[in-house]
Amino acid sequence: MLSDRWLQRWLPTVLERAGTGPVLEIGCGRGSDTATLVVAGARVIALDLSPSNVAAAQARAPQATVSCQDVRSPWPTADQPYGVIVASLSLHYFAWHDTVTLVSRIHAALRPGGLLLCRLNSTRDHHHGARGHPAIEPNSYDVRGEPKRFFDRAALTQLFASGWRTLSIQETKSYKYVRPKVLWELALERAA
Ligand SMILES: C[S@@+](CC[C@H](N)C(=O)[O-])C[C@H]1O[C@@H](n2cnc3c(N)ncnc32)[C@H](O)[C@@H]1O
């Protein structure tokens, strides 16, 4: 992986909002963000669908609790609602209806004032599937056999219309892959 230090600037906020509770990480992949969170001092509960990614994340961040599950199944619960949920590039595999449901579940799992940090594919992410693939739904494509959704500002507005306060929303580029990836980076808090 090339450079992808997106979480660094959020770490003080993450630690403050998590307090003594764990951070829930949805779709942790091979554990790059998991390790960043753990090294910063957060307690992390992570999940991912891929057994090999789960094994890699667990090896990379042994202090985290990493489970293998579909994000659409019930999530591990903590003894209190989460103060922080991180979902980096992991909410784009689903039909729009299921995406809306996932965001509602994230909202319900957070305490009021809890923080959602998420990154979503931009409709301008042309190097990574945002054009040239068969459409499944508007802005969702079959990218080499895998459904992949791309978000524009209108979709984000719709997705986070109710019950959220936006702290930051930026369309930016990540250089984690060989070709630049255009994505949205969002920080939102659950409104009281
Ligand atoms: C593009 S990777 C992002 C990984 C990591 N969060 C990052 O930013 O590097 C997407 C991850 O979501 C996981 N994933 C895909 N569908 C999933 C599902 N239905 N439930 C849970 N995880 C899923 C994949 O296995 C993969 O590890």
Side-chain angles (χ1 to χ4, degrees), residues 146-161:
E146 186 171 62
K148 207 165 171 187
R149 176 173 300 284
F150 298 84
F151 297 77
D152 58 16
R153 192 175 278 276
L156 300 181
T157 303
Q158 203 180 333
L159 209 46
F160 298 105

Side-chain angles (χ1 to χ4, degrees), residues 124-152:
R124 284 189 263 255
D125 190 18
H126 294 154
H127 291 315
H128 297 276
R131 68 177 170 202
H133 298 277
I136 301 170
E137 281 184 354
N139 290 330
S140 171
Y141 305 104
D142 180 335
V143 181
R144 292 177 283 279
E146 186 171 62
K148 207 165 171 187
R149 176 173 300 284
F150 298 84
F151 297 77
D152 58 16

Side-chain angles (χ1 to χ4, degrees), residues 1 4 6 25-34 47-51 53-54 69-73 86-94 102 119 121 146 148 176-177 181:
M1 194 202 310
D4 190 32
W6 76 282
E25 187 188 4
I26 293 171
C28 61
R30 300 179 70 77
S32 153
D33 292 341
T34 323
L47 62 92
D48 198 281
L49 185 61
S50 152
N53 284 357
V54 167
Q69 68 155 91
D70 194 304
V71 67
R72 289 165 290 188
S73 301
V86 175
S88 168
L89 301 173
S90 56
L91 301 180
H92 57 257
Y93 297 100
F94 313 106
L102 271 176
R119 298 199 297 177
N121 302 321
E146 186 171 62
K148 207 165 171 187
K176 67 184 284 180
Y177 305 115
K181 176 170 182 61

